[in-house]
Amino acid sequence: MGKVAATAAVVSAAAVFSAAVLVARHQMKRSGKWGQVLSIVKEFENQCEAPIEKLRQISDAMEVEMHAGLASEGASKLKMLISYVDKLPTGDEKGVFYALDLGGTNFRVLRVHLGGKGEGVVNIESEEVSIPPHLMTSSSNELFDFIATSLAKFISSESEEFHPPPGRQRELGFTFSFPVKQISIASGTLLKWTKGFDIEDVVGEDVVGALTKSMEKIGLDMRVAALVNDTVGTLAKARFSNQDVIAGVILGTGTNAAYVERAHAIPKWQGHLPKSGEMVINMEWGNFRSSYLPLTEYDHALDLESLNPGEQMFEKLISGMYLGDIVRRALLKMAEEADFFGDTVPPKLRIPFILRTPDMSAMHHDTSSDLKVVGNKLRDILEIHNTSLKVRKIVVKLCDIVAIRGARLAAAGIFGILKKIGRDTVKVGDKQRSVIALDGGLFEHYSKFRTCLENTLKELLGDETADTIGIEHSNDGSGIGAALLASSHSHYLGVEES
């Protein structure tokens, strides 16, 4: 019995030792994998770094591209489109103006009552209309007839006091958020459809002409006073109440910027210079690219797999469409190479754009001690359950890296605009104030992004100049802004109200 007991003891000890070795190996493996996770995060952070020296180089590159784009067509990654807006609202406009905002499967019509000097916007009425799906692929006549009929129905609710006097037309600002080559303040040819529209017979045609034809067909006596880009509208909306506004920037699903340029500084401008001496330029800055931009393997992969490889690189680094997916790609690498979420890679993590920027923002702003919001988002969106606190902290860290890079690059872009128009320094005796109007969900709702952008711009400007530069939120440039541009480009400016 003694021998049997001794043998059993030896076998038992061996089993315990083997189990201990397995546990130790597993812990060492996990430790090694965690070290790999930290290494991936550190490398990503280093690649995304945007120190002030690099931001200045990016701003300088932006300014160079702006000059090139203003000199001639096709000379720059920045299109620097002439908007033909040479008269921005002053705040003195008076009367009732309409806006049509067409940018997707719905469109809005607005009636904006302006009270004149000191009165501002007295009243706004609006209505949203869904476009029947079959009209998105039908004919130009059918689509614009439907829009004109909806517009006429909305106008029919206008109170009698706002009816125009005999011989006077109602005036409309038309925001058309599709690629257009603008020909004048109130005409532009459609280059191509996006967002699910596909109506061949209007491509290459004047969209204002198509709308006007449909309005005339039903006896709607209205003229399009301004064809508007939503970024230019953002600038106009802010300028109406603040004459110090010199640029409008949209930071939302996409991104763009427009600013007020001196007309004589636009070599590609043909014809007489406008009386105002100014012209609003639609930069289309999402397409900016520079060797100084801090790109990572995740950015290159995202670009390669996108619908427009090699294009819109600036937008892919700073806009709401892409930020969440950059975080997803980093998480996927850690799951594949370092078992970040365990032995298997969560299938949902392989789905592009499943992690949206609003979800990223919610995780980034999670202040709970156990990062409960992060855990819930990982569970609900990616079906990753029972994550540890240290895993959740890494997720927040990735959100921080991506958001900070985007915000700092956006600030560098704004600084580039200020440099181009000479507002990046304070001249002796000149304390002129300059205001940048911003709109878009990313700026409005992602507070860590917004705060970082504002702080970075101050850092680039320096204390003295920063005191002369302001940032303000300006919403609904595509609606109210369009109506205001109709008012500032009215045929009846200076005509006494009847």
Side-chain angles (χ1 to χ4, degrees):
M1 283 295 291
K3 278 189 177 181
V4 173
T7 302
V10 169
V11 169
S12 176
V16 169
F17 178 74
S18 297
V21 167
L22 285 172
V23 169
R25 278 183 183 163
H26 181 71
Q27 287 175 339
M28 285 174 68
K29 183 183 175 186
R30 290 300 302 151
S31 175
K33 290 292 188 182
W34 188 253
Q36 210 173 335
V37 165
L38 297 179
S39 175
I40 290 170
V41 173
K42 187 63 183 170
E43 182 184 20
F44 184 42
E45 185 174 30
N46 290 342
Q47 290 173 344
C48 286
E49 274 187 353
I52 207 73
E53 301 78 22
K54 178 171 276 193
L55 294 180
R56 290 190 188 284
Q57 291 171 322
I58 290 166
S59 299
D60 291 346
M62 177 77 79
E63 186 187 5
V64 168
E65 289 292 320
M66 289 172 75
H67 278 283
L70 290 172
S72 61
E73 299 295 343
S76 166
K77 281 283 187 184
L78 297 176
K79 287 191 173 69
M80 303 299 286
L81 301 173
I82 294 169
S83 71
Y84 295 90
V85 171
D86 58 359
K87 296 188 290 284
L88 284 163
T90 62
D92 296 342
E93 289 79 10
K94 188 174 183 179
V96 172
F97 297 89
Y98 285 83
L100 168 62
D101 178 13
L102 174 61
T105 54
N106 297 336
F107 65 86
R108 287 187 306 149
V109 286
L110 297 91
R111 179 166 40 242
V112 180
H113 178 201
L114 305 175
K117 194 175 184 69
E119 294 295 320
V121 177
V122 177
N123 190 40
I124 301 164
E125 298 166 82
S126 68
E127 190 175 295
E128 190 161 315
V129 182
S130 292
I131 298 173
H134 72 276
L135 290 183
M136 295 170 68
T137 54
S138 58
S139 68
S140 168
N141 284 345
E142 287 180 280
L143 175 65
F144 285 103
D145 285 356
F146 176 77
I147 291 170
T149 303
S150 301
L151 189 55
K153 184 181 173 187
F154 179 72
I155 288 169
S156 68
S157 66
E158 179 186 80
S159 66
E160 198 171 328
E161 63 178 305
F162 296 139
H163 291 354
R168 185 162 176 164
Q169 290 178 294
R170 293 179 179 86
E171 293 180 298
L172 175 79
F174 181 16
T175 300
F176 187 74
S177 299
F178 299 91
V180 163
K181 179 173 175 53
Q182 196 127 357
I183 300 162
S184 71
I185 183 61
S187 62
T189 56
L190 176 64
L191 299 176
K192 65 175 180 179
W193 286 107
T194 56
K195 307 172 190 175
F197 284 80
D198 187 14
I199 305 171
E200 279 303 313
D201 66 352
V202 74
V203 175
E205 299 296 320
D206 177 16
V207 293
V208 172
L211 177 62
T212 302
K213 181 180 164 189
S214 290
M215 291 193 296
E216 289 173 347
K217 207 185 291 184
I218 58 171
L220 179 54
D221 192 20
M222 173 177 264
R223 69 175 282 270
V224 177
L227 179 62
V228 180
N229 166 276
D230 57 355
T231 315
V232 176
T234 296
L235 169 53
K237 164 72 166 33
R239 183 69 165 254
F240 179 73
S241 53
N242 186 344
Q243 292 297 298
D244 292 333
V245 172
I246 49 90
V249 175
I250 288 183
L251 286 164
T253 304
T255 184
N256 192 17
Y259 74 102
V260 182
E261 182 59 274
R262 295 153 297 177
H264 64 77
I266 311 171
K268 68 181 179 183
W269 171 258
Q270 304 291 316
H272 298 294
L273 292 178
K275 288 179 183 176
S276 66
E278 295 181 335
M279 179 64 68
V280 175
I281 297 295
N282 167 19
M283 290 176 64
E284 293 293 339
W285 84 350
N287 204 41
F288 172 67
R289 186 162 194 161
S290 164
S291 59
Y292 296 116
L293 291 175
L295 298 172
T296 70
E297 62 185 274
Y298 313 109
D299 304 305
H300 289 299
L302 185 152
D303 176 51
L304 202 61
E305 295 167 26
S306 69
L307 295 173
N308 53 351
E311 297 178 18
Q312 300 295 110
M313 279 312 300
F314 196 52
E315 182 168 79
K316 287 168 183 170
L317 294 172
I318 72 171
S319 80
M321 176 78 183
Y322 301 100
L323 299 186
D325 202 57
I326 299 168
V327 172
R328 179 195 67 83
R329 288 170 183 273
L331 288 172
L332 179 59
K333 176 170 179 170
M334 294 191 301
E336 288 177 334
E337 297 185 9
D339 298 345
F340 185 54
F341 295 114
D343 295 335
T344 57
V345 176
K348 288 280 182 82
L349 199 51
R350 298 189 187 279
I351 302 174
F353 298 104
I354 191 170
L355 186 63
R356 296 163 55 251
T357 300
D359 298 314
M360 167 190 166
S361 173
M363 293 192 294
H364 196 182
H365 291 98
D366 188 358
T367 56
S368 61
S369 59
D370 60 349
L371 295 178
K372 186 177 181 180
V373 174
V374 178
N376 289 345
K377 291 290 181 185
L378 294 174
R379 182 196 65 213
D380 297 344
I381 298 164
L382 300 170
E383 294 182 0
I384 300 169
H385 298 271
N386 304 319
T387 47
S388 67
L389 182 58
K390 71 175 186 175
V391 161
R392 296 176 188 184
K393 284 181 176 176
I394 291 290
V395 174
V396 174
K397 177 67 174 174
L398 292 178
C399 296
D400 194 59
I401 292 168
V402 172
I404 284 177
R405 179 185 65 170
R408 287 180 72 80
L409 293 178
I414 293 171
F415 186 61
I417 296 173
L418 293 171
K419 280 174 68 71
K420 171 66 184 72
I421 58 177
R423 302 287 182 98
D424 59 315
T425 56
V426 178
K427 297 170 183 66
V428 178
D430 181 14
K431 280 284 186 181
Q432 184 177 11
R433 186 161 173 78
S434 305
V435 174
I436 315 292
L438 279 105
D439 194 17
L442 188 63
F443 176 78
E444 188 177 357
H445 302 301
Y446 201 145
S447 60
K448 284 182 184 288
F449 185 99
R450 181 176 65 248
T451 301
C452 179
L453 184 155
E454 291 169 346
N455 290 340
T456 304
L457 187 58
K458 287 176 185 173
E459 193 180 351
L460 285 162
L461 289 164
D463 290 342
E464 187 184 9
T465 308
D467 287 341
T468 69
I469 306 294
I471 284 179
E472 69 175 45
H473 181 219
S474 171
N475 62 349
D476 200 16
S478 60
I480 300 169
L484 291 170
L485 284 169
S487 73
S488 65
H489 290 82
S490 168
H491 267 182
Y492 311 107
L493 281 176
V495 176
E496 287 296 315
E497 294 287 317
S498 298

